[in-house]
Amino acid sequence: MAINKAKVAVGFIVSGVLMVFFGVVLTFVGPIIIDDQVVKNTVIDPKNSMSYTMWKDVPVPFFMSVYFFNVLNPREVLKGEKPMVEQKGPFVYRKRIQKDNITFHDNGTVSYREYRTFYFEPTMSSGDESEVVTIPNMLVLGAAGMMENLPYAVRLMISATFKTFKEGPFLTKTVGELMWGYDSGLVDFLNKWLPGMLPSTGKFGLFAEFNNSNTGLFTIFTGKDDIKKIHQVDSWNGLTELNYWKTPQCNMINGTAGQMWAPFMTRESTLPFYSPDACRSMELVYQRDGKMQGIPLFRYVAPKTLFANGTDYAPNAGFCPCRQSGLLNVSSCRHNSPVFISHPHFYNADPVLLDYVQGLNPTEEEHGLFIDIHPMTGVPLNVSIRLQLNLFMKTVSGITETGKIADVVMPMIWFEESGYIDGPILSTFHTNLVVLPAVMEFMQYGFIALGVATIIIASLMHHKFKIHEGKDGCTADENPNTSTGEKYPLLQDHQ
């Protein structure tokens, strides 16, 4: 049975049209399917094993690197000379983060407490925790700033108390003692007679209250009812707004808890989050596109207005009393101690701050903070949060320990909390959110290209077969120039 090639070609044309149609449909349906899968897999739900595990236990490596500003000329500082500092570190700690007391609510929210524990990593550190450094004594110089408006007689008594417990204006201690606490007769005395004045009732250390502690009771949205609200803070310790600051705007609890954000981000999106350690909400802004091992990302950084004072940026007036731009006064949530937060080495701050202290050299690469976000899911791929703790020092009459110290915002330490997705989680992330969408995109355009090619080739072949059939099917009856003998050969023989 002869095959009708023209009909076969028509069949290929139809197949090509179907492939183009399927490819076009896939271009519309494919992104919808992917977006639907993103929504299903990012909602905070124990059924979403990968995303829930990342949210609950943060299984990726997370570290805190601490740098101390070792004071080289403490005696000269007491005489009014400019402080000279030398950076020491990093002293690196592995940070374990785990959520507990997880409770889901009917209104689409979940409550939890996040516990954090730090473990020293000597192989990643520049030295051991036994290394000795000299920094300002917050118990003395911080208290002096807090007491400067008290009656002169009271200030004399405070100074006498410092002398009784042999507390001077500067501390020379090991890194471990300064970080996690040291025994102090003054601390014991204050906790007994002035309870609540100090942040901790045990040993006094810069991070004593952070280790083996939680960040408070967070209640956030799961995204079940509205994916745009996922991870947003509904309340913190039962509060929907703070009471540390002077304006409603500054007291707002905005954004997420600072670990994940809503999916489907654009370059116009920002990263708002609430930080209990900074006692306020903060917001990062888009800087540039990038890639991490083939995974697309948006890099977000701190705007210059983040720690600007009320004069340079009016919305920040509620965080005052302010000093120079680049400093956040956190005294209102730090027991009224004259403590300020800034970027390390006063990066992005008023240049005059650098003139008050020798030994600082700010650069964006080493001292700017950033978060790299996968825009489709809102999951951070690489994080580096860098902040500096500063103490405002000045001479206070009656408290002789302050000597003739010139007014100065003195850097004490800066720390970097960093982490990035790696290992099996990165591979799974890459497969589900990069490879599979790429395969689907390849398929949709592949179907369209193959379909168009099939239609063109089959159409050309169909045309060719039709012409060929026309030639083969042309008989003598259809040719007027054919002679009788040529039409009827048998007649020719009889003649």
Side-chain angles (χ1 to χ4, degrees):
M1 181 178 177
I3 298 174
N4 191 323
K5 295 181 180 179
K7 289 184 178 180
V8 171
V10 171
F12 274 106
I13 292 173
V14 173
S15 299
V17 170
L18 290 175
M19 280 190 283
V20 171
F21 175 77
F22 185 71
V24 171
V25 169
L26 205 58
T27 58
F28 291 99
V29 175
I32 295 174
I33 294 173
I34 293 173
D35 289 355
D36 183 60
Q37 288 301 308
V38 168
V39 170
K40 286 182 179 178
N41 287 290
T42 53
V43 169
I44 301 174
D45 189 329
K47 296 177 183 177
N48 299 334
S49 57
M50 185 181 80
S51 60
Y52 184 74
T53 300
M54 288 180 64
W55 172 79
K56 179 178 180 292
D57 295 326
V58 190
V60 301
F62 217 83
F63 300 94
M64 181 176 71
S65 303
V66 181
Y67 300 81
F68 283 83
F69 290 103
N70 182 47
V71 183
L72 301 175
N73 61 337
R75 293 182 180 178
E76 289 75 12
V77 173
L78 289 174
K79 297 176 182 177
E81 294 185 21
K82 184 184 295 188
M84 294 176 59
V85 297
E86 172 190 39
Q87 179 175 291
K88 291 235 179 150
F91 301 94
V92 182
Y93 299 84
R94 179 181 291 270
K95 182 180 181 182
R96 186 187 177 197
I97 306 170
Q98 188 172 20
K99 293 178 176 65
D100 205 351
N101 306 115
I102 299 173
T103 306
F104 287 88
H105 306 291
D106 294 335
N107 64 346
T109 63
V110 58
S111 298
Y112 64 90
R113 289 185 183 273
E114 184 173 88
Y115 291 83
R116 49 195 176 180
T117 312
F118 298 91
Y119 305 90
F120 184 62
E121 293 283 351
T123 57
M124 301 175 68
S125 304
S126 65
D128 197 75
E129 282 190 305
S130 60
E131 189 168 339
V132 175
V133 295
T134 299
I135 64 171
N137 188 344
M138 286 185 65
L139 288 174
V140 172
L141 298 178
M146 295 164 60
M147 309 293 183
E148 65 173 328
N149 294 322
L150 294 179
Y152 186 75
V154 175
R155 281 178 268 151
L156 287 174
M157 289 177 59
I158 292 170
S159 184
T161 303
F162 290 151
K163 291 178 177 62
T164 300
F165 292 102
K166 298 180 180 179
E167 293 281 356
F170 289 91
L171 281 174
T172 300
K173 298 280 186 183
T174 66
V175 168
E177 289 175 317
L178 294 172
M179 285 289 296
W180 311 117
Y182 57 91
D183 291 317
S184 168
L186 177 60
V187 171
D188 294 337
F189 174 81
L190 292 174
N191 283 330
K192 181 177 181 180
W193 297 104
L194 296 171
M197 179 180 176
L198 298 177
S200 61
T201 55
K203 294 182 178 182
F204 184 78
L206 296 173
F207 284 83
E209 62 177 307
F210 291 91
N211 202 12
N212 299 312
S213 66
N214 68 79
T215 55
L217 180 65
F218 273 96
T219 301
I220 66 172
F221 288 94
T222 63
K224 182 179 179 181
D225 300 323
D226 184 356
I227 196 64
K228 293 179 181 178
K229 296 175 70 175
I230 187 171
H231 299 297
Q232 285 187 16
V233 178
D234 182 45
S235 67
W236 175 74
N237 283 340
L239 302 172
T240 55
E241 59 181 22
L242 306 172
N243 54 12
Y244 300 131
W245 313 110
K246 295 181 177 180
T247 62
Q249 182 177 355
C250 291
N251 276 319
M252 291 174 67
I253 297 177
N254 293 329
T256 73
Q259 291 178 345
M260 295 183 186
W261 283 265
F264 313 124
M265 302 180 70
T266 68
R267 292 169 184 83
E268 288 70 41
S269 302
T270 59
L271 292 191
F273 63 97
Y274 171 65
S275 169
D277 297 332
C279 310
R280 60 165 286 190
S281 297
M282 296 191 280
E283 190 171 44
L284 306 187
V285 295
Y286 169 86
Q287 185 192 50
R288 61 175 175 83
D289 283 28
K291 282 192 175 182
M292 177 178 167
Q293 298 191 28
I295 301 175
L297 60 84
F298 289 169
R299 170 158 291 191
Y300 286 83
V301 298
K304 288 188 176 182
T305 56
L306 182 63
F307 295 142
N309 61 22
T311 302
D312 291 345
Y313 185 62
N316 282 354
F319 296 121
C320 293
C322 298
R323 299 195 66 80
Q324 294 87 352
S325 272
L327 299 171
L328 173 66
N329 186 345
V330 292
S331 59
S332 59
C333 68
R334 288 289 179 266
H335 305 273
N336 292 318
S337 180
V339 176
F340 292 82
I341 289 177
S342 70
H343 295 301
H345 287 244
F346 296 131
Y347 170 70
N348 260 356
D350 190 325
V352 73
L353 294 169
L354 296 174
D355 296 334
Y356 294 154
V357 181
Q358 293 184 40
L360 304 179
N361 183 31
T363 64
E364 179 181 3
E365 183 179 354
E366 293 184 4
H367 306 124
L369 64 81
F370 67 85
I371 297 179
D372 290 338
I373 293 280
H374 182 246
M376 180 181 287
T377 61
V379 173
L381 301 176
N382 189 17
V383 177
S384 181
I385 302 298
R386 299 159 174 161
L387 294 172
Q388 180 171 295
L389 187 65
N390 311 279
L391 181 67
F392 178 59
M393 307 190 312
K394 64 183 298 185
T395 300
V396 178
S397 63
I399 302 180
T400 57
E401 284 73 15
T402 60
K404 297 180 180 178
I405 295 177
D407 290 11
V408 59
V409 179
M410 184 72 183
M412 295 197 301
I413 63 167
W414 72 270
F415 58 92
E416 173 186 23
E417 292 195 299
S418 59
Y420 57 90
I421 290 181
D422 200 3
I425 291 180
L426 181 64
S427 300
T428 304
F429 203 89
H430 187 271
T431 300
N432 291 343
L433 298 169
V434 177
V435 175
L436 292 181
V439 169
M440 186 168 288
E441 186 176 10
F442 174 80
M443 286 176 58
Q444 66 194 32
Y445 292 117
F447 275 120
I448 293 173
L450 184 61
V452 170
T454 302
I455 292 171
I456 293 173
I457 294 172
S459 298
L460 292 173
M461 295 303 294
H462 179 266
H463 181 67
K464 180 180 178 181
F465 292 148
K466 287 300 262 183
I467 293 175
H468 192 9
E469 282 181 8
K471 288 182 177 180
D472 289 347
C474 185
T475 63
D477 291 324
E478 295 163 333
N479 191 340
N481 297 320
T482 305
S483 64
T484 305
E486 290 172 331
K487 291 173 65 176
Y488 305 104
L490 290 175
L491 285 176
Q492 186 178 15
D493 292 340
H494 284 290
Q495 291 174 356

